[in-house]
Amino acid sequence: MSLPRQAARHPALSTLLAASLTVPALLLAGCNASPPSSASPSETLTARAWHETLEVEGEIKAATNTPLAVPGGGWSRRVLVEMVPDGSSVKQGQVVARFDAPQARVELSQAETELLRKTLAEEASRQNAAVEHNVLAGERSKVEGDLGLSQRYAKVDLSVYARNTILDALADVGFLTNKRSYLEWKGGQAQARTAAQDAVLDSQRDSVAKTAEQKRHSLAALELVAPHDGVFLLAARWDGAKAQVGANQMGGEEFGSLPDLDHLVAHFSVAEGQAFGLKPGLPVRVRLSGTGTELDLTVTRVGSSAATVSPESPVKYSDFDAAIDTAQAHRLGLKPGQALHGVVRLVARPAVLTVPNIAVVQDGASYAVYTDNAGQPRKHQVELGQRGPVRSEIKAGLTPGVRILLVPPTEKKAS
C-alpha cells in the first residue's frame, strides 16, 4: 500500500509528514539567509582625539662624508699592514692606514733590470754602428786613392811605361767609380738601419722607464692620511665584510669614509608598508641607545623610493633623516654609528571624525563606508581627508552618531 493512501486513512500520519517536510525547508532557508549587521563589530562615529605614531630604529650618520680610497691607482695590489680602529676619532694629517705593495716592488726591480738591459743594448748598437762606419770609411778611402791613381794614368802617354807595370798600377776607372757609389749607398743603409735600431731601443727603454716610474709612484703612495678631523668609518663590501689587517686591497678601491661631525643627522629605515604618512616637518622623539638621552628633532628628508637592504630578503625599506643641531651634537659628543630609537608623531589632532582603515573600501575611483541601518548594512560614499596607518579622516558623507561596520559585507557579483 502506498504512503499517500496510508496518510489519507490516518490524519495523524498526515500531520507528521507535513511537519517533517517543513522543518528541513526552514533549515535550508536559514542557512542561505545573510546574518544581520548587528552581529558584525562596529563603532560609533564621533569626534575624538586622533594620535598615531611610528616607532623606528636607526643610527646617527653624517649628512656629508669624505670618501677614503685605498692609495694608488690602476687597481694596483695592496696589502693592509695597519690601521686605526673602526669608529675612532682622527685628526687632520693623521695616518689612518698603512699598506704594502710587494708585487709593485718585484715589478719595479724587474723594470729597473730591463731598463739597464735596454741601456746596454743602446750602447752596443752605437758601438757596432761606429765600427761599421769606420770599416766603410776605410774602404771608401782606399777606393778614392785607387780612383785618383787610375784617373791620373788614364790621361798620360802609356808608351813610355812598361806594359806590365801599367797593368798592375792601373785599375778600371768605371769599376772604381761604381764601387765608390756602392760604398756610399752601403753607408746610407747602415745609418738608416742604425737609426731604426736606436728608435726601437729608445721606445722600449721609454716604455720600461715609464713602467718603473709608475711603480715608484705606487710605492710612494702607501699611506692613507686623514684630510680633515672626523671619525674614521670602515666601508663594508657587498657581503657586509670589512677590511682586515693582512687582507689584499686594490688601489682606488673604497676603503672607508670620514664623516663631517658638524653636520649629523638621525637616520632611520622603515619597511615600505609602514612608511605611509611620513613627510618632512613631522616631529620625532629620539632616544640614544645605552644612555637614555632624548632629543626632540624634526624629519628633514624622506627617501623618494624604497629599496632592499639585503640580498637575502625581498623586503623593501624607505629611509628618512632628522637633522641634529651642531651645538647639541658637540655638547653631547655624538658620533656616527650610535644606535637610536625614534618615535615619529604622524598624527596629533584634538578632535576629528575618523574611521578605521579596515572599514574603508574602494568604490571605483572613490571610497565608501558601511553603516548599520536597523540591522542591515548601508553603503555611503565618503570623502577622505588626512590618512594615517590605522585610521582615516572623514570630511564628508557621514554624520556623527552612526554605527560604522568595521568588517564591510562582501558584495556578491552578478553572474
Side-chain angles (χ1 to χ4, degrees), residues 334-355:
L334 302 181
K335 294 182 180 180
Q338 288 183 267
L340 302 171
H341 176 78
V343 178
V344 183
R345 195 157 61 240
L346 298 175
V347 182
R349 301 180 64 176
V352 62
L353 293 176
T354 63
V355 295

Side-chain angles (χ1 to χ4, degrees), residues 236-250:
R237 297 182 179 178
W238 63 270
D239 57 354
K242 296 184 177 181
Q244 297 181 353
V245 174
N248 291 325
Q249 305 288 326
M250 303 296 290

Side-chain angles (χ1 to χ4, degrees), residues 17-18 31 49-50 58 66 131 161 184 186 198 225 271 289 322 327 335 351 357 402 410:
L17 180 60
C31 292
W50 183 21
T66 300
V131 171
Y161 297 100
E184 290 177 354
K186 188 175 181 181
D198 290 343
V225 180
S289 299
K335 294 182 180 180
N357 288 338
V402 299
T410 303

Side-chain angles (χ1 to χ4, degrees), residues 97-119:
R98 286 188 174 88
F99 300 84
D100 192 15
Q103 182 179 355
R105 297 184 190 278
V106 173
E107 292 176 351
L108 176 60
S109 178
Q110 293 175 348
E112 290 177 341
T113 302
E114 187 65 19
L115 184 61
L116 180 59
R117 291 179 63 251
K118 297 303 180 184
T119 303

Side-chain angles (χ1 to χ4, degrees), residues 157-387:
D157 187 8
L158 299 180
S159 61
V160 297
Y161 297 100
R163 185 175 182 84
N164 292 335
T165 303
I166 296 173
L167 293 175
D168 291 339
L170 185 61
D172 184 72
V173 176
F175 168 74
L176 292 175
T177 302
N178 291 335
K179 186 174 181 180
R180 182 179 63 180
S181 300
Y182 166 73
L183 292 176
E184 290 177 354
W185 172 83
K186 188 175 181 181
Q189 292 295 312
Q191 290 180 357
R193 184 172 60 254
T194 301
Q197 291 177 351
D198 290 343
V200 172
L201 291 174
D202 286 344
S203 177
Q204 293 176 348
R205 181 175 56 80
D206 291 343
S207 177
V208 175
K210 185 176 181 180
T211 301
E213 188 65 21
Q214 290 176 348
K215 300 307 174 184
R216 292 191 187 96
H217 282 299
S218 179
L219 291 174
L222 295 177
E223 292 184 348
L224 181 59
V225 180
H228 57 78
D229 296 351
V231 176
F232 170 65
L233 296 178
L234 266 175
R237 297 182 179 178
W238 63 270
D239 57 354
K242 296 184 177 181
Q244 297 181 353
V245 174
N248 291 325
Q249 305 288 326
M250 303 296 290
E253 182 182 10
E254 182 184 8
F255 185 71
S257 61
L258 202 60
D260 186 359
L261 299 182
D262 291 334
H263 300 87
L264 298 180
V265 297
H267 181 78
F268 301 96
S269 294
V270 60
E272 184 180 17
Q274 299 178 353
F276 185 79
L278 273 176
K279 60 182 179 180
L282 292 178
V284 52
R285 184 81 172 175
V286 174
R287 178 170 54 84
L288 300 177
S289 299
T291 64
T293 304
E294 293 188 346
L295 306 174
D296 288 320
L297 306 176
T298 302
V299 176
T300 54
R301 185 194 67 86
V302 177
S304 58
S305 60
T308 58
V309 297
S310 172
E312 288 81 13
S313 174
V315 179
K316 292 185 177 182
Y317 290 83
S318 298
D319 65 330
F320 65 96
D321 297 335
I324 302 176
D325 182 68
T326 301
Q328 191 177 36
H330 289 172
R331 178 173 55 83
L332 297 175
L334 302 181
K335 294 182 180 180
Q338 288 183 267
L340 302 171
H341 176 78
V343 178
V344 183
R345 195 157 61 240
L346 298 175
V347 182
R349 301 180 64 176
V352 62
L353 293 176
T354 63
V355 295
N357 288 338
I358 59 174
V360 180
V361 295
Q362 187 80 34
D363 187 20
S366 58
Y367 296 92
V369 172
Y370 285 87
T371 62
D372 183 4
N373 184 22
Q376 297 298 323
R378 182 180 178 184
K379 185 177 181 180
H380 299 265
Q381 296 284 341
V382 295
E383 180 185 351
L384 299 181
Q386 182 179 1
R387 303 202 65 182

